[in-house]
Amino acid sequence: QTSGGATFRVRRTEDLRAMAAALDRLEPNPAERPPMRYWQSLWAWPGALGLLALVLIGWRRG
């Protein structure tokens, strides 16, 4: 009561729908959020190319 929170006991499908409706009122629609950016490390590609070059140089000298 102090914080204004709510608890849900889901026993039937109607309870689940009521809980989902309450959450939809609290949470914004994901389509309205800005898109998330996922960062991916690309160091492996030049690293593999460098390793391949070292192997070829070593094989050519040996």
Side-chain angles (χ1 to χ4, degrees), residues 1-25:
Q1 291 178 356
T2 303
S3 67
T7 60
F8 300 97
R9 179 175 287 179
V10 177
R11 292 186 179 180
R12 298 181 310 242
T13 306
E14 295 84 22
D15 299 336
L16 183 62
R17 286 188 185 123
M19 187 251 342
L23 285 178
D24 286 340
R25 285 190 300 273

Side-chain angles (χ1 to χ4, degrees), residues 1 4 7 13 18-21 23 25 27-28 33 36 38 41-46 52 54-56 62:
Q1 291 178 356
T7 60
T13 306
M19 187 251 342
L23 285 178
R25 285 190 300 273
E27 294 286 329
R33 295 181 188 162
M36 294 185 66
Y38 294 99
S41 297
L42 299 176
W43 63 267
W45 293 105
L52 179 64
L54 285 174
V55 168
L56 288 175

